[in-house]
Amino acid sequence: MAEEIDRLRREIAERESELADLRSQLAVAESEKRETESSAGAERARADWKWPLKEDEYERYSRQMIVPNFGLQGQLRLRAAKVLLVGAGGLGCPAAAYLAGAGVGVLGLIDGDTVEVSNLHRQVAHSTGRVGMTKVESAITYLKELNPSITYNAHQTHLTPQNAASVLSQYDLVLDCTDHPASRYLISDACVLLGKPLVSASAFQASGQLLVLNDPPGGGPCYRCVFPRPPPPESVVGCGEGGIVGPVVGTMGLLQALEAIKLIIRGGLQKEAPPVDGAAAAAAPTPAPAPAPSKNMTMLIFSGMADTMFRTVRIRGRRDDCFACSGREGALTLEQMRSSLDYVQFCGVARPVRLLKPTERVRASEYARVAADRASPHLLIDVREREHFGLSSIPGAVNVPISQLMRARVGDGGASGSGSGLAADAAEAQVAAAPDWMPADLPHSAPIYVVCRVGNDSQVAAQKLKELGLDRNGERFVGDIDGGLRAWREDVDPTLPFI
């Protein structure tokens, strides 16, 4: 049955893509027909047409062309522009929609992922019927319905150091719509080396930020100037763990499109790019462009749940010692980016958490037997945040968010203890104190199990419980469920929603 459902979904997606192509062809044909059959003298009128835009373009784009400082010249610049969106997800979908609607001449999308159901609350260019389709194909299917008169380029792959130059060199402007630091550094480096302005945005939970980088090319700061060092890998939390509010990431994508339109209609694009392919490029790798005058830069901060949602902060300009954009001897080159830079290693890789011994970890099925034995009292602590816990949990679990647990100190028993004093006093306090969330009738020898989403935070929490003395100097078992809620769903209860 599952295979049949997948087959039907794929077939629907293929038919939708074919239908979008047909509608696009129909729209173009109807537009041409209107031009040739609008009157008896249509052919002569068409031959005498002296206006720079087609008749249907005047109708389609009229509402934006009459905006002050936009005008016909702005529309002509949009029609001549080639824009690449790296990422066709929460940022890329709204950005692509408004750039296509505005009439950008060539719109390219690069993404190697496929559409999943969990994408649909925020990635508005995709649909339920296109689950399983590549994101690029799905987005272009949507965009052709919106505006069939522009050119769409599909790059159904992930951007890598090896293909970045060949892809980005085809465009005038780049939008970074990705969600990982390694991608942001790669995109920024490639834009610097190729002389492309970059509009970068990010969104997480209810907040976002927006930057226009390398503007003007070789003058404005790059991503490395603003963030010389990547964040610690353990601090990088994706939407799957931390969550994201759809309109928040949508807002940031719309702002990216707006910044791109501003750059284009004001004539801020550099048309000539240095060569990136061939023996000459390999023999003499392209250096960063010569520095141009820098200008004051700001970062837009968006706080979706705050009363004051928008604010800007000043950021420093281009760094004279920047590895990517300084232009100094030994700075980054295209060949170096292609052959020797490892962006994942530069940003660090969060190593698997291995804090507990194998004897301190129990399988989900093993804990299920413990839970079923009513004669064996125990405590199960779920250390996910309250929002996660409120969506689904193992019956009988007590929610103690890890953020709360990690603030506890030795001697805490509802009031904050100092955690200082002689070792003997500390040990006595450890045994005597009990947190507020600890059941008063829990026997001293009853084991404590900890669970989280996938089995990482639970190990950290179990170690913390031991530091607080809740293992009673080794008399009580304190451990975790190996694999967390994911393992519980796979091995014990497949009906548990796994968020």
Side-chain angles (χ1 to χ4, degrees):
M1 180 62 71
E3 292 181 357
E4 177 66 10
I5 291 173
D6 289 340
R7 184 191 67 78
L8 289 171
R9 282 179 173 169
R10 286 194 301 270
E11 189 169 339
I12 290 172
E14 291 171 0
R15 297 293 183 270
E16 283 194 350
S17 180
E18 293 172 0
L19 186 59
D21 284 334
L22 290 173
R23 286 174 175 165
S24 176
Q25 295 173 32
L26 176 62
V28 172
E30 288 177 339
S31 175
E32 292 176 352
K33 182 180 179 181
R34 284 196 300 269
E35 290 182 9
T36 57
E37 298 181 355
S38 58
S39 66
E43 286 298 329
R44 183 175 59 83
R46 187 177 182 186
D48 293 341
W49 184 264
K50 298 177 181 179
W51 304 102
L53 295 176
K54 296 179 181 179
E55 183 177 357
D56 67 304
E57 290 178 311
Y58 280 96
E59 182 178 3
R60 180 181 286 271
Y61 306 122
S62 61
R63 297 301 185 269
Q64 65 191 28
M65 288 194 291
I66 61 176
V67 172
N69 300 317
F70 196 113
L72 175 62
Q73 186 61 38
Q75 192 62 49
L76 290 172
R77 285 173 171 165
L78 280 171
R79 189 172 69 172
K82 299 177 181 179
V83 180
L84 175 69
L85 283 77
V86 186
L91 294 168
C93 285
Y98 276 91
L99 289 174
V104 167
V106 177
L107 196 59
L109 290 90
I110 178 168
D111 196 313
D113 291 337
T114 57
V115 179
E116 300 176 0
V117 172
S118 61
N119 301 148
L120 300 180
H121 85 284
R122 66 193 185 279
Q123 300 181 16
V124 294
H126 309 310
S127 68
T128 303
R130 295 198 292 275
V131 169
M133 182 187 282
T134 66
K135 286 187 176 181
V136 167
E137 187 180 4
S138 173
I140 291 178
T141 298
Y142 167 83
L143 295 171
K144 283 182 176 179
E145 294 268 356
L146 177 65
N147 189 349
S149 63
I150 69 175
T151 300
Y152 300 98
N153 292 341
H155 306 276
Q156 299 186 48
T157 182
H158 292 294
L159 194 73
T160 68
Q162 290 70 42
N163 67 18
S166 62
V167 174
L168 269 65
S169 63
Q170 304 173 44
Y171 300 91
D172 308 314
L173 172 64
V174 179
L175 274 63
D176 180 354
C177 303
T178 62
D179 61 358
H180 195 276
S183 299
R184 296 189 185 114
Y185 283 102
L186 167 60
I187 296 165
S188 175
D189 287 352
C191 285
V192 166
L193 295 171
L194 296 168
K196 310 292 183 183
L198 171 64
V199 183
S200 178
S202 62
F204 179 66
Q205 294 184 341
S207 302
Q209 64 184 37
L210 177 75
L211 279 166
V212 178
L213 301 167
N214 200 36
D215 174 41
C222 71
Y223 195 80
R224 288 183 186 268
C225 293
V226 183
F227 303 104
R229 290 177 296 277
E234 63 272 11
S235 70
V236 179
V237 180
C239 294
E241 290 282 354
I244 182 70
V245 178
V248 170
V249 69
T251 297
M252 303 315 298
L254 296 179
L255 291 172
Q256 281 186 282
L258 179 58
E259 288 293 344
I261 291 171
K262 285 162 56 179
L263 275 170
I264 294 168
I265 67 173
R266 293 173 182 175
L269 301 188
Q270 175 177 310
K271 288 294 184 181
E272 295 300 325
V276 298
D277 293 315
T286 305
S294 186
K295 61 181 182 180
N296 292 332
M297 299 293 297
T298 60
M299 177 191 295
L300 178 68
I301 306 295
F302 177 65
S303 303
M305 298 301 186
D307 292 335
T308 302
M309 291 191 290
F310 292 96
R311 61 189 177 93
T312 57
V313 296
R314 287 280 300 275
I315 60 174
R316 64 176 299 164
R318 185 176 55 82
R319 298 170 63 99
D320 293 335
D321 61 346
C322 179
F323 172 62
C325 71
S326 64
R328 61 183 172 84
E329 185 177 355
L332 181 64
T333 65
L334 281 173
E335 181 59 30
Q336 187 178 4
M337 182 186 73
R338 277 192 291 246
S339 62
S340 60
L341 276 195
D342 188 332
Y343 287 88
V344 174
Q345 182 179 8
F346 170 69
C347 293
V349 178
R351 298 176 180 176
V353 177
R354 290 190 177 92
L355 296 177
L356 301 181
K357 301 175 183 176
T359 55
E360 297 172 313
R361 312 199 72 190
V362 300
R363 294 190 302 273
S365 56
E366 183 180 347
Y367 173 74
R369 290 192 291 270
V370 172
D373 186 358
R374 297 185 179 274
S376 300
H378 68 280
L379 176 63
L380 175 63
I381 302 173
D382 189 324
V383 294
R384 295 173 300 156
E385 295 302 316
R386 301 189 192 284
E387 293 77 11
H388 277 256
F389 184 79
L391 295 175
S392 63
S393 62
I394 297 175
V398 174
N399 183 217
V400 185
I402 192 168
S403 57
Q404 172 189 334
L405 182 61
M406 298 308 289
R407 292 194 298 267
R409 292 176 292 176
V410 173
D412 280 359
S416 296
S418 64
S420 62
L422 299 176
D425 294 336
E428 183 179 350
Q430 288 180 19
V431 174
D436 291 342
W437 42 262
M438 178 80 79
D441 59 349
L442 185 70
H444 288 173
S445 60
I448 297 177
Y449 300 91
V450 187
V451 69
C452 67
R453 187 171 182 264
V454 294
N456 292 329
D457 286 350
S458 57
Q459 295 183 66
V460 177
Q463 287 284 74
K464 181 65 176 180
L465 293 176
K466 292 181 181 182
E467 292 175 13
L468 296 174
L470 295 182
D471 64 339
R472 303 188 63 81
N473 294 324
E475 295 179 9
R476 166 188 282 151
F477 172 85
V478 175
D480 82 324
I481 297 178
D482 193 353
L485 272 296
R486 175 184 292 169
W488 183 265
R489 175 184 170 89
E490 292 175 353
D491 299 341
V492 179
D493 183 4
T495 68
L496 180 80
F498 179 69
I499 308 301

